[in-house]
Amino acid sequence: MDDDEHQQQQQQGLLGGEMQQGPVMSLAEPDVNMDAAGDEAAGSKALMPSPEEQAAAIQQLEDKQIQAGEQMYIVSKSWWGDWCAYTRYKQQPADSSSSSDTDAADTQQPPLAIDNSSIVDNNSGDLARNLEENCHFVIVTAESWELLRSWYGGGPVVSRPAVLEGLAPNTKRARVMLYPIKLDVVWSGKPTEIKTMEAELKETVQSLKLRACAEFGVDPATIAMWDFFHHSKHANLEGHLDKTLNDARILDEQPILLDEKDNPLTCESKSSSSPVITSSRGIFGRSNSYVQEDSTIQVRTAAAEEQLGRRSGTQQLGMAGCLACNA
């Protein structure tokens, strides 16, 4: 009997131990699950590099030269400033003897999602007009944009192409074209009517001709299109229909003539110079740092634009008078 009682006590003790272990395990399980949930919630932050690593990665991508044809991306200067302050982008390392700058950097909060709403036109969704680079926005490479957006999200996306600006080989450089160029198109059949059209430098002459003829309702087969620089027949574009506007030396805000083949304009050319593609309207942004000057190339300046009197009433009358001599 003693042995039986002892065995029963041992069994009760084991059962009691199991009963005691049950609640312990059941209490521990929620703690493990809470830790896992916390780790999952912090997952996005854990994947984001440190401020120093972010700055180093972006600087490496921004040090490269721009290539003509690539897309560049626009970032609000306000957001960019917050990110630079957080990562100390391109700032000198703080003096180890002074802890105030270091403490300030350590307490700097990361920026919120990228917000480009202040630099976007609400109607077109493109970059708003009358903005200045490094004042309202900065331009970054596609790789930098992808990294920044993967870390912070946000938008909207604003991208612009890099084009090759300049004519002579030793003056060409890649520049970001912030806005389309504007062209004053006139038809010799109605010289007093001028239509302003927007175009990208990468558009072909043929495409521009078709669009311009459609604007005036004329048959492209009956039209010869001219570069009307200085409001004279500067260059016949019919032999360059497959070229881009950039390669055909089309300038921002310059006149284009749609000339009737059966009744061609007879005005004399006033200039034989070939100007570099520039603009006083600020259509270009970030560019490569290197460029070789060529004194044989005429560079259009703001003063020259003013002298030409583009879009002025007297200039339009002068052009109408020139066209009228063909009547």
Side-chain angles (χ1 to χ4, degrees):
M1 291 293 294
D2 292 339
D3 292 337
D4 292 340
E5 290 178 357
H6 181 67
Q7 186 175 0
Q8 290 178 359
Q9 289 177 359
Q10 286 183 333
Q11 291 176 349
Q12 290 175 359
L14 290 173
L15 291 174
E18 290 174 358
M19 292 177 65
Q20 291 174 2
Q21 290 175 3
V24 172
M25 292 299 294
S26 64
L27 290 173
E29 287 172 359
D31 293 336
V32 174
N33 292 336
M34 289 174 64
D35 291 341
D39 290 341
E40 183 177 355
S44 58
K45 294 184 178 179
L47 294 176
M48 184 179 293
S50 68
E52 295 78 12
E53 291 171 333
Q54 291 183 43
I58 296 299
Q59 183 164 351
Q60 182 177 6
L61 295 172
E62 290 302 299
D63 284 344
K64 74 170 190 176
Q65 293 289 341
I66 301 172
Q67 299 298 319
E70 70 175 315
Q71 287 291 115
M72 304 292 288
Y73 287 76
I74 313 296
V75 181
S76 162
K77 181 61 184 297
S78 175
W79 186 91
W80 179 257
D82 291 342
W83 179 80
C84 288
Y86 172 63
T87 62
R88 299 186 61 84
Y89 181 68
K90 287 191 174 181
Q91 297 181 26
Q92 294 296 328
D95 186 351
S96 58
S97 62
S98 175
S99 61
S100 58
D101 292 339
T102 304
D103 293 340
D106 291 341
T107 58
Q108 180 73 38
Q109 295 297 313
L112 301 176
I114 299 172
D115 184 6
N116 282 339
S117 59
S118 63
I119 60 172
V120 172
D121 184 282
N122 292 330
N123 295 322
S124 66
D126 295 328
L127 183 66
R129 302 283 178 162
N130 302 318
L131 301 181
E132 294 184 14
E133 183 181 3
N134 297 323
C135 178
H136 301 100
F137 63 87
V138 296
I139 302 173
V140 301
T141 64
E143 295 84 356
S144 292
W145 169 256
E146 290 300 327
L147 271 185
L148 291 171
R149 205 176 186 204
S150 70
W151 295 333
Y152 296 97
V157 178
V158 184
S159 67
R160 295 299 301 160
V163 298
L164 199 60
E165 182 202 12
L167 301 177
N170 59 343
T171 63
K172 291 184 177 181
R173 61 178 175 180
R175 299 194 68 177
V176 178
M177 188 175 179
L178 298 177
Y179 303 102
I181 62 173
K182 289 185 176 181
L183 303 173
D184 291 333
V185 183
V186 63
W187 171 43
S188 60
K190 197 173 182 181
T192 57
E193 183 178 356
I194 300 173
K195 293 184 181 291
T196 300
M197 299 179 61
E198 289 192 346
E200 299 282 0
L201 286 179
K202 63 183 180 180
E203 183 178 3
T204 64
V205 176
Q206 172 74 6
S207 173
L208 175 64
K209 178 182 178 179
L210 294 177
R211 291 198 300 118
C213 287
E215 283 288 328
F216 285 94
V218 296
D219 183 2
T222 66
I223 296 294
M225 191 163 75
W226 286 80
D227 175 345
F228 209 44
F229 176 60
H230 267 226
H231 296 118
S232 63
K233 284 186 171 182
H234 179 73
N236 190 333
L237 298 174
E238 290 300 304
H240 308 284
L241 295 178
D242 60 336
K243 288 187 176 181
T244 65
L245 301 185
N246 191 27
D247 292 337
R249 307 179 181 186
I250 302 301
L251 301 171
D252 181 46
E253 298 184 314
Q254 83 174 61
I256 296 293
L257 171 65
L258 300 180
D259 199 20
E260 293 282 355
K261 291 180 179 179
D262 293 339
N263 188 24
L265 192 67
T266 57
C267 289
E268 296 291 333
S269 175
K270 298 179 182 179
S271 173
S272 60
S273 59
S274 298
V276 171
I277 298 175
T278 60
S279 173
S280 59
R281 208 165 49 85
I283 66 170
F284 290 110
R286 170 178 169 177
S287 67
N288 282 339
S289 57
Y290 61 86
V291 60
Q292 291 179 309
E293 299 295 342
D294 185 343
S295 60
T296 65
I297 300 297
Q298 176 187 351
V299 178
R300 298 281 290 283
T301 63
E305 291 289 340
E306 183 177 356
Q307 185 177 359
L308 286 177
R310 291 191 182 280
R311 302 185 185 280
S312 67
T314 55
Q315 184 64 41
Q316 292 180 13
L317 288 174
M319 181 170 61
C322 178
L323 291 169
C325 73
N326 193 51

